[in-house]
Amino acid sequence: MSDYGLFLSFNNQQEVFRFPVNPERIEVKDGSEGKSYTVAGLGEINAILYPKLTEISFESFFPGRTYPFVNTSKDKLKLPIDYVNTIKRWMESRRPVRFVMTGLVPDPLSGTDSGNVVRAMKSFGINMAASIESFSWNTMSGSPEDIEFSITLKRYVFYGARKVVPAKDSKAAAVKTKERPDDRKKPNSYTVAKGDTLWSIAQKLLGSGSRHTEIQKLNGIKDHEVRKLAVGRVLKIP
């Protein structure tokens, strides 16, 4: 014989109640978003996508009096309509609730005794944030003080917008495009124009002004000539 309890709480367990009568049957539904396609030469194929959120459904009733099978003490048992109003209020808040199911069931691996009774029990449980997808209720014929209900819960996944932080490393912030190689033939000589300096010539022809000393050395330019190059002078370029 199994023994279990079902609980529903709200606002980080600031409000919580136990379903006073355990349902006879609990349906747990899992699935996936898989789709089927027809491919020429192969026929029908299926694409396995992400799983759907778990759904839990069950039916029971809120008792208007303390029956022997009610698993809530008399002092904690609410009026049936109070349970209904609480669930409706939680639904209207558009915030998730928490569903907990916990208990003991016979463990078949423990073996049986001489009376064919399982020797041990094992614990099980479900603990998940959920949205209340549907909730319907009605009064029971022949027992107007009780309220029958059916409820469907769907697993809720917390999410939120992520703050985008600009990357300090320029390489991480953007994909650097590869520069197209320069396939032009580099000149072997250069004629000095007005305003030229060895630094500017090296920067323009060699790609770095720091290579000006190579031009100076190759052309035998004295240090006192560096500051004022003669316009029209032809320089060899390394």
Side-chain angles (χ1 to χ4, degrees):
M1 181 179 179
S2 61
D3 181 25
Y4 64 96
L6 280 69
F7 302 82
L8 207 59
S9 64
F10 180 73
N11 194 22
N12 198 23
Q13 296 187 345
Q14 292 297 313
E15 299 180 67
V16 59
F17 71 80
R18 178 176 182 175
F19 287 94
V21 179
N22 288 340
E24 295 183 359
R25 178 173 174 269
I26 299 174
E27 181 180 357
V28 180
K29 184 179 179 182
D30 289 308
S32 68
E33 294 285 356
K35 295 183 179 180
S36 297
Y37 303 91
T38 300
V39 179
L42 290 177
E44 186 181 28
I45 63 171
N46 66 315
I48 301 176
L49 303 179
Y50 292 105
K52 291 183 178 181
L53 297 173
T54 300
E55 287 189 3
I56 295 178
S57 303
F58 56 90
E59 298 177 356
S60 185
F61 72 94
F62 296 122
R65 51 183 168 149
T66 307
Y67 295 98
F69 49 81
V70 171
N71 50 38
T72 302
S73 60
K74 188 175 182 179
D75 60 321
K76 292 185 178 180
L77 186 65
K78 302 174 182 288
L79 293 174
I81 194 62
D82 289 341
Y83 287 105
V84 171
N85 289 335
T86 297
I87 293 175
K88 289 172 62 178
R89 176 167 54 83
W90 292 353
M91 290 181 68
E92 292 169 358
S93 72
R94 300 175 61 188
R95 294 170 59 189
V97 297
R98 181 160 294 277
F99 174 73
V100 175
M101 176 179 173
T102 182
L104 297 172
V105 294
D107 183 4
L109 298 179
S110 65
T112 57
D113 57 20
S114 57
N116 202 29
V117 178
V118 176
R119 291 193 178 94
M121 306 287 282
K122 66 177 181 179
S123 62
F124 73 96
I126 298 174
N127 187 334
M128 70 179 196
S131 59
I132 303 174
E133 294 295 297
S134 66
F135 174 67
S136 59
W137 60 279
N138 62 275
T139 56
M140 298 175 63
S141 59
S143 184
E145 69 270 26
D146 300 331
I147 292 181
E148 292 179 319
F149 72 89
S150 63
I151 189 170
T152 298
L153 306 166
K154 178 181 284 188
R155 180 183 295 277
Y156 181 83
V157 177
F158 293 94
Y159 64 92
R162 292 185 177 182
K163 184 178 180 180
V164 178
V165 180
K168 295 181 179 180
D169 188 352
S170 59
K171 292 181 180 179
V175 177
K176 186 177 181 179
T177 57
K178 188 176 181 180
E179 296 182 358
R180 183 178 179 179
D182 187 357
D183 55 2
R184 294 175 296 177
K185 185 179 179 180
K186 292 181 173 56
N188 296 323
S189 62
Y190 176 78
T191 302
V192 177
K194 185 176 180 181
D196 279 341
T197 63
L198 286 183
W199 183 280
S200 65
I201 295 171
Q203 181 68 39
K204 179 165 52 177
L205 300 181
L206 302 180
S208 174
S210 62
R211 297 185 62 186
H212 70 280
T213 55
E214 298 178 33
I215 300 176
Q216 180 183 359
K217 184 176 180 180
L218 181 62
N219 291 274
I221 301 174
K222 306 296 184 183
D223 290 341
H224 68 275
E225 297 178 301
V226 170
R227 294 189 177 183
K228 191 173 182 180
L229 297 175
V231 177
R233 180 174 178 176
V234 179
L235 301 177
K236 297 176 183 179
I237 303 300

